[in-house]
Amino acid sequence: MGANDFRHKAEQTIEWIADYLASVDDYPVRAQTRPGEIAAKLPALPPRTPEPFEAVMRDFRDIIMPGMTHWQHPRFFAYFQGNTSEPSILAEMLISAVGAQCMSWETSPAATELEIRVLEWLRDMVGLPDGFAGSIQDTASTASLCSLIAARERATEGRGNEDGLSGGPTLTAYCSEEAHCSIERAVRLGGIGSQHLRRIPVDEHGAMNVTVLSERVREDIAGGARPAWVVASLGGTSYGAMDLVAPIAEVAREVGAWVHVDAAWAGSALILPELRHLAHGLELADSVVLNPHKWLFTNLHCSALFVRRADEYVRAFAIQPEYLKTRHGDAVVNFRDWGIQLGRRFRALKLWFVIRMFGVDELQRRIRQHIAWAERLAGAMQATPGFQVVTEPSLSLFTFRYVPDVGWPDPEVDAFNERLLMRINDAGRAYLSHTRVRGRYVIRFVVGQTNTTWEDVEIGWQEIRRCATEETARPSASGGR
Ligand code: PLP
């Protein structure tokens, strides 16, 4: 493909992207396809000879797009958003074009130095102290695994990497019952084993019971184990549960355990000065993860992992075969030693574009609005007969359910809400997801897509009411009673 040909095709691609972004809310939010439907349209064998761009684009439009769920739809209220924005997309195009592999300072000095600077910005924006150093990981799951590996190496004084874990003391890890499943996965993959993960109960607000944590830590030590990793969750996935970081960190630090804070979603909201109280004690953490790819309008993958003692952290990962040695050696930062992967994309560029082209004030304004709208909608729901707000808004997330008749037993209400959610998502005008709170099936509502407006939230609310009315009117709605 010559330069002119490329330019022409790139222009067509940009046209498509601009049209898509302008009309994304015309699509059903959740893909309306059945399993296997897309695969059936894809040839089993690759082409032997080049196919024209137009043919590939046509199939992209006609086969692939109908099978996509539209995460950039302003009425995406499910899970946590996986956001993008125009500045981030522009940067992604440049990243792809430059195609740099940013493993070492030398392989892309600007990428390394920009990553350092942009993470200093982000660190200051969320109120972490100066000493914290950041790196961009692909996901919070990877970041938490990296944190666990560093914790393991602290607990074994570096012997885990050398000798393996057999023969050493049993290592233990701690998190609340509301922690994300990536924490348990890290414990499994990092060699601690899920039977050594202590899931500490939460209080009525969803915060870890620190007295129980302290007891479990003491019991484990008395039993010969070595507490290695203590995780505080700021913004649990289910309903946004918030642990109190300071007392958790104090318990952990007394026994030398690594303190990790999983703020994958909620961390972005810490750019609001009025929410900094949520982060009380964050400065005591050894590592903190937050995902700009969730709520800071930056494309997947962009997960920021901050560590308090970079030297200790890097020791757990550093490895230097001859072929990777470079002229400046340890005098520069080589991000290949800051995690699992060797090859690294130039992710800092998109975060830089986002922070510069939005500006901190605008980022704050959007997140503030999301939180205000979630509160407003939860208030409206609470005032509407039949609707129950089960967990109050935690930032921009709350959970609810619809109880068609107060006489219904819980299992029937659960089944009704399951059907209600399916009806909403099948209609395609909004997308929500569910969880269970104290055993009860509830629907989650998260406001947070880059371009969501209050009108979108209102349309979502209309859909919920419409579907609740329709589902109630269904002949077998009462579960056959
Ligand atoms: N931690 C929390 C609290 C989350 O909500 C999530 C995902 O939603 C994760 C971790 C995992 O994030 P990632 O998809 O970046 O691995």
Side-chain angles (χ1 to χ4, degrees):
M1 192 186 298
N4 275 341
D5 196 15
F6 175 75
R7 193 183 310 278
H8 181 60
K9 291 180 170 60
E11 278 165 7
Q12 286 176 275
T13 310
I14 291 294
E15 281 295 314
W16 185 90
I17 292 173
D19 287 347
Y20 174 70
L21 294 178
S23 62
V24 63
D25 56 355
D26 294 342
Y27 289 81
V29 193
R30 196 215 56 209
Q32 305 286 314
T33 46
R34 280 182 301 281
E37 209 176 308
I38 306 298
K41 296 180 182 160
L42 300 172
L45 298 174
R48 304 292 310 199
T49 53
E51 291 194 62
F53 171 71
E54 290 69 25
V56 183
M57 269 310 267
R58 191 190 53 233
D59 287 351
F60 167 70
R61 268 193 311 266
D62 298 349
I63 300 177
I64 304 301
M65 285 311 286
M68 293 305 291
T69 291
H70 298 278
W71 284 71
Q72 306 317 316
H73 195 298
R75 291 191 293 281
F76 187 106
F77 302 119
Y79 306 104
F80 286 133
Q81 282 75 15
N83 273 321
T84 183
S85 61
E86 286 93 348
S88 179
I89 296 168
L90 294 172
E92 278 282 4
M93 290 194 274
L94 300 175
I95 294 166
S96 300
V98 175
Q101 206 281 46
C102 310
M103 60 183 172
S104 309
W105 178 88
E106 184 175 297
T107 65
S108 290
T112 300
E113 295 183 15
L114 184 65
E115 184 161 337
I116 295 170
R117 179 52 44 90
V118 84
L119 288 181
E120 285 168 357
W121 287 2
L122 186 61
R123 175 194 69 196
D124 297 348
M125 284 162 64
V126 299
L128 270 170
D130 281 359
F132 278 80
S135 61
I136 301 183
Q137 307 289 332
D138 53 7
T139 58
S141 303
T142 303
S144 290
L145 176 59
C146 290
S147 164
L148 175 118
I149 290 167
R152 186 192 74 196
E153 291 312 291
R154 177 191 282 180
T156 60
E157 291 159 1
R159 283 195 300 277
N161 274 345
E162 297 297 326
D163 306 332
L165 297 179
S166 60
T170 297
L171 303 182
T172 48
Y174 307 80
C175 67
S176 92
E177 284 167 345
E178 290 301 327
H180 188 258
C181 57
S182 56
I183 300 303
E184 177 164 1
R185 184 181 278 164
V187 166
R188 289 172 177 224
L189 299 181
I192 289 187
S194 47
Q195 60 163 301
H196 301 126
L197 174 64
R198 314 296 184 225
R199 286 196 163 265
I200 310 296
V202 295
D203 65 17
E204 68 276 21
H205 307 295
M208 184 195 287
N209 183 327
V210 184
T211 311
V212 176
L213 169 70
S214 173
E215 285 164 7
R216 288 308 305 264
V217 166
R218 269 187 277 122
E219 275 168 29
D220 283 332
I221 293 175
R226 188 169 295 173
W229 198 47
V230 180
V231 179
S233 300
L234 267 192
T237 316
S238 202
Y239 58 91
M242 299 277 178
D243 285 338
L244 299 174
V245 179
I248 292 174
E250 276 160 27
V251 171
R253 283 163 68 119
E254 245 174 59
V255 296
W258 185 284
V259 183
H260 178 57
V261 178
D262 178 1
W265 164 67
S268 296
L270 298 180
I271 68 170
L272 301 184
E274 65 269 29
L275 293 179
R276 286 283 165 72
H277 61 277
L278 293 175
H280 177 59
L282 208 60
E283 69 284 358
L284 302 174
D286 292 290
S287 55
V288 179
V289 62
L290 67 104
N291 278 0
H293 71 221
K294 282 191 178 2
W295 204 6
L296 216 55
F297 320 130
T298 309
N299 284 62
L300 269 158
H301 292 131
C302 187
S303 180
L305 176 64
F306 293 98
V307 292
R308 194 160 50 80
R309 290 182 45 196
D311 52 343
E312 182 187 14
Y313 172 79
V314 170
R315 254 201 316 279
F317 295 93
I319 193 155
Q320 205 173 57
E322 189 56 36
Y323 49 81
L324 290 181
K325 287 185 183 152
T326 52
R327 180 159 149 204
H328 297 286
D330 291 342
V332 289
V333 169
N334 291 307
F335 276 120
R336 63 168 192 261
D337 287 337
W338 288 62
I340 295 162
Q341 60 189 108
L342 176 65
R344 301 180 91 246
R345 292 188 89 227
F346 186 5
R347 295 191 178 113
L349 194 73
K350 58 189 168 184
L351 190 54
W352 192 53
F353 267 54
V354 166
I355 296 175
R356 290 188 62 185
M357 290 179 66
F358 278 98
V360 177
D361 290 349
E362 177 61 13
L363 294 171
Q364 289 176 332
R365 192 185 69 83
R366 291 199 187 204
I367 291 180
R368 207 172 263 133
Q369 272 186 337
H370 294 159
I371 295 171
W373 292 340
E375 282 167 2
R376 193 160 149 198
L377 177 58
M381 257 189 208
Q382 195 67 287
T384 306
F387 283 94
Q388 288 179 353
V389 171
V390 178
T391 55
E392 292 293 327
S394 168
L395 304 175
S396 68
L397 158 66
F398 67 92
T399 64
F400 69 93
R401 63 184 199 157
Y402 184 70
V403 183
D405 180 332
V406 281
W408 283 24
D410 262 344
E412 273 185 34
V413 177
D414 286 354
F416 180 91
N417 280 276
E418 210 171 327
R419 293 195 304 272
L420 170 60
L421 180 64
M422 271 190 272
R423 185 180 284 271
I424 296 166
N425 291 339
D426 286 348
R429 297 193 76 207
Y431 186 26
L432 286 78
S433 59
H434 80 282
T435 187
R436 280 190 185 267
V437 174
R438 290 178 284 281
R440 288 180 306 181
Y441 186 99
V442 297
I443 301 177
R444 298 166 73 260
F445 198 107
V446 191
V447 186
Q449 202 282 325
T450 314
N451 298 310
T452 294
T453 61
W454 169 246
E455 202 192 347
D456 291 308
V457 177
E458 275 188 313
I459 295 172
W461 176 213
Q462 275 165 21
E463 275 299 279
I464 294 167
R465 279 177 298 173
R466 184 183 68 76
C467 291
T469 307
E470 281 180 15
E471 190 55 45
T472 311
R474 240 171 35 103
S476 59
S478 67
R481 285 184 315 148

